[in-house]
Amino acid sequence: MNVLELRKLFPILHQEINGHPLVYLDNAATSQKPESVISAVKAYYENNNANVHRGVHTLGSRATDAYEGAREKVARFLNASEANEIVFTRGTTTALNLVASSYARSVCGEGDEIVLTPMEHHSNLIPWQQVAKATGAILKYIPLQADGTIAMADVERTITDRTKIVSVMQVSNVLGVINPVKQIAAVAHRHGAVMVVDGAQSAPHMKVDVRDLDCDFFAFSGHKMCGPTGIGALYARKSLLERMEPIEFGGEMIDHVDLYESTWKEAPWKFEGGTPIIAGAAGLAAAIDFLTEVGLDEIDRHESKLAAYAYDRLSEMEGITIYGPREGRVGLVTFNLADVHPHDVATVLDTEGIAVRAGHHCCQPLMRQLEVSATARASFYLYNTEDEVERLVSALQRTKEFFGHAIG
């Protein structure tokens, strides 16, 4: 994988911020877009813009082909059994809310259990809190080890015959750990529970095979994997989708409408009320083509190497605390600089053209467990380099010296 050649395909990277070449290290929040994705969205609006499914004219047929072709591409990307197991959503958050509102509320009752981990993003926590409040179900949490990993012995102890839902992120957006979701799914199924996977941080960076993981639901967002914002998908076993009721009602999702009763299309279309995200689907399809051509294994190797390099270089600095294990992590490093608030760190780095994320990363319970209010996070993708890591390290050293003098 020639990273320098790949960088040429991303227009946004070739600019200066505050007089410095941009170093974009906020990829866990959103990734940048290659020319092919930008062109795919532009081409849809310039050549094929029409609504889908109903129009018999040429533009309508083209738009429908593009939209449903994108669904087939997502199914192949995840190795789903068929395209009808893919529901297009606005992203991971919407997909998880669909599972919580449509599936979980229909199967959970008083005293049933929903199992999560303390590292979950708010998108994979708050929907389950609402299910528990509505149904009387109980939230349970698989405890974390000191380094932020999950021990299967704790999984075995936490999941019981009362468990109906197990929902876990495959990759932590703070700790960088890769959770053993395949093994967790096996335990969940042994107890009759379904396995939900938040794939927001895994789908962009590694090969995902939903059949190998044996998960029942898998959610991801397009904008974190070189695609447009506002588009994502939910994979769900067809048997579960057929049982679930839609949660949005209106055009596109109906079969027959009378004055007092209506019937729905079959899955997945019954969950896609209103005009769908057609241009976004075209962009997502282009992003999948791009990532597939580069190679997910190549991307995974590059990011793992970069994360290990960044971890080691930051570890050499005095006053830096790094969260999560060195081994078995994806391409991100979350850290704090002693006596300097993460927001101040991010602000100073921005003056040197370096974009990192600072805050609680939508993981406030995890922040409390780490005994911090916020952290800084540098997250890498296929277009980042070791030279950019060195710029980060040098800028952090200057930040440390600046605040050291200011405090002194």
Side-chain angles (χ1 to χ4, degrees), residues 311-328:
Y311 190 101
D312 291 342
R313 291 291 286 120
L314 290 175
S315 297
E316 294 167 2
M317 289 182 61
E318 289 186 12
I320 288 273
T321 300
I322 303 175
Y323 303 96
R326 181 189 183 280
E327 305 300 329

Side-chain angles (χ1 to χ4, degrees), residues 206-218:
M206 61 184 68
K207 279 186 177 177
V208 171
D209 185 332
V210 291
R211 283 191 275 180
D212 180 64
L213 294 177
D214 199 23
C215 59
D216 301 286
F217 298 97
F218 185 95

Side-chain angles (χ1 to χ4, degrees), residues 111-354:
D112 289 333
E113 299 168 352
I114 300 170
V115 172
L116 312 169
T117 77
M119 73 175 77
E120 299 308 316
H121 189 280
H122 295 165
S123 295
N124 197 35
L125 172 61
I126 299 171
W128 306 114
Q129 291 177 345
Q130 300 307 304
V131 172
K133 289 178 181 178
T135 65
I138 299 167
L139 298 180
K140 295 176 66 178
Y141 292 88
I142 302 167
L144 303 183
Q145 301 298 298
D147 63 356
T149 58
I150 291 173
M152 286 308 298
D154 289 326
V155 174
E156 294 278 3
R157 280 190 287 267
T158 307
I159 298 173
T160 73
D161 288 342
R162 292 302 306 269
T163 304
K164 291 295 179 70
I165 309 279
V166 179
S167 192
V168 176
M169 52 173 33
Q170 188 170 15
V171 169
S172 169
N173 67 316
V174 174
L175 302 171
V177 297
I178 304 170
N179 289 321
V181 294
K182 180 177 180 178
Q183 292 82 356
I184 296 172
V187 178
H189 291 154
R190 197 169 71 239
H191 289 279
V194 302
M195 183 71 194
V196 183
V197 178
D198 173 352
Q201 298 294 340
S202 59
H205 306 287
M206 61 184 68
K207 279 186 177 177
V208 171
D209 185 332
V210 291
R211 283 191 275 180
D212 180 64
L213 294 177
D214 199 23
C215 59
D216 301 286
F217 298 97
F218 185 95
F220 74 96
S221 299
H223 72 95
K224 296 181 189 290
M225 49 182 284
C226 295
T229 56
I231 182 76
L234 172 70
Y235 156 80
R237 293 187 194 273
K238 188 175 181 181
S239 59
L240 297 178
L241 277 183
E242 289 172 345
R243 290 174 50 189
M244 293 163 56
E245 287 294 310
I247 60 174
E248 288 189 315
F249 305 92
E252 291 288 343
M253 51 77 64
I254 52 88
D255 180 30
H256 176 78
V257 177
D258 208 338
L259 287 177
Y260 300 100
E261 293 291 338
S262 299
T263 59
W264 324 132
K265 288 180 180 176
E266 56 187 32
W269 300 282
K270 67 180 179 180
F271 300 107
E272 296 175 4
T275 297
I277 315 152
I278 310 166
L284 178 58
I288 289 174
D289 286 341
F290 177 79
L291 295 179
T292 302
E293 184 176 350
V294 175
L296 269 298
D297 289 336
E298 287 292 313
I299 294 170
D300 189 8
R301 278 191 288 271
H302 173 69
E303 291 178 8
S304 297
K305 181 181 177 183
L306 209 56
Y309 183 72
Y311 190 101
D312 291 342
R313 291 291 286 120
L314 290 175
S315 297
E316 294 167 2
M317 289 182 61
E318 289 186 12
I320 288 273
T321 300
I322 303 175
Y323 303 96
R326 181 189 183 280
E327 305 300 329
R329 69 162 52 236
V330 294
L332 65 85
V333 180
T334 301
F335 61 92
N336 267 327
L337 186 60
D339 300 321
V340 184
H341 194 280
H343 289 152
D344 293 329
V345 171
T347 299
V348 175
L349 292 179
D350 183 61
T351 65
E352 300 200 20
I354 302 171

